[in-house]
Amino acid sequence: FLSVLLGGILPILSAAQPNIVGEQATQNLLYLDSSESMNGYLGASSDDRFIGTLAAFMYSAPTEVRLFGTQEGKALSSSQFENQLNKKSIQWSAESDLTKMISSLIQRISSGYASYGILITDGIMSGSNREIQRDPNYNKTRRGLMTQKILNVFNTYKDNKENKQLSAIVIQY
């Protein structure tokens, strides 16, 4: 899986203070790609190291968890998410939209809603089910376009003078 850590401040890595207008965020935000391809990481065949890594992110600070397929799910506390995980009651999505996930996470951080955000995903870039039904080679022929859409999200925020504190770290597990 890939983990993307986004934030105006990375408390573990930096002593710098964020330049947030208004109240400073008191929580962190964890987005979990809830596509079917992620089910294997958290289902019956899950790897204890993966679960341990996820728990470390969730409990390092007060964290709001949101499942994200093609849309952002409702806010869950760490304990609510852990309960869903233990009961295997996570609602998996037939597809996911990495561009929307990253954009939503960056918007929440940039607005001061969270100090930093973490996106846990397998990083599989894919067109929507509809796009793939229209063109079975979509994922092969449109890989560059999908990559560019994600880069455009970062560039949009990078070029905004109010978001100069935004940073990103990508960790591959």
Side-chain angles (χ1 to χ4, degrees), residues 2-133:
L2 293 176
S3 173
V4 179
L5 180 64
L6 299 168
I9 178 174
L10 303 178
I12 297 169
L13 303 175
S14 171
Q17 293 299 313
N19 187 11
I20 297 173
V21 176
E23 260 184 67
Q24 185 170 346
T26 58
Q27 68 179 5
N28 301 312
L29 189 57
L30 185 140
Y31 276 22
L32 178 69
D33 176 349
S34 62
S35 63
E36 285 290 341
S37 62
M38 289 292 293
N39 188 359
Y41 293 104
L42 297 170
S45 62
S46 65
D47 181 342
D48 288 339
R49 293 176 302 162
F50 177 79
I51 300 294
T53 302
L54 185 58
F57 285 138
M58 284 182 2
Y59 292 107
S60 63
T63 300
E64 176 182 293
V65 179
R66 290 181 182 260
L67 303 177
F68 203 118
T70 56
Q71 298 179 41
E72 181 182 89
K74 67 177 185 165
L76 301 169
S77 68
S78 294
S79 60
Q80 287 172 319
F81 173 68
E82 185 177 1
N83 189 36
Q84 282 190 11
L85 187 60
N86 290 334
K87 290 182 176 183
K88 303 207 181 310
S89 62
I90 293 173
Q91 296 294 310
W92 299 102
S93 177
E95 58 187 305
S96 61
D97 188 328
L98 283 174
T99 304
K100 276 186 186 177
M101 280 183 224
I102 293 168
S103 180
S104 178
L105 190 56
I106 291 173
Q107 286 175 3
R108 288 196 174 272
I109 294 164
S110 296
S111 73
Y113 183 83
S115 298
Y116 69 88
I118 300 165
L119 168 61
I120 306 282
T121 179
D122 53 15
I124 297 173
M125 288 189 298
S126 177
S128 68
N129 290 345
R130 187 175 181 185
E131 290 166 327
I132 294 169
Q133 287 170 353

Side-chain angles (χ1 to χ4, degrees), residues 132-163:
I132 294 169
Q133 287 170 353
R134 282 196 309 245
D135 177 5
N137 291 315
Y138 185 91
N139 289 342
K140 291 179 186 175
T141 61
R142 300 283 173 33
R143 172 89 35 205
L145 176 64
M146 291 184 288
T147 301
Q148 190 59 50
K149 284 181 178 180
I150 291 171
L151 289 173
N152 288 347
V153 169
F154 282 104
N155 287 335
T156 297
Y157 288 93
K158 178 188 73 143
D159 294 338
N160 183 336
K161 290 182 175 146
E162 295 174 10
N163 295 318

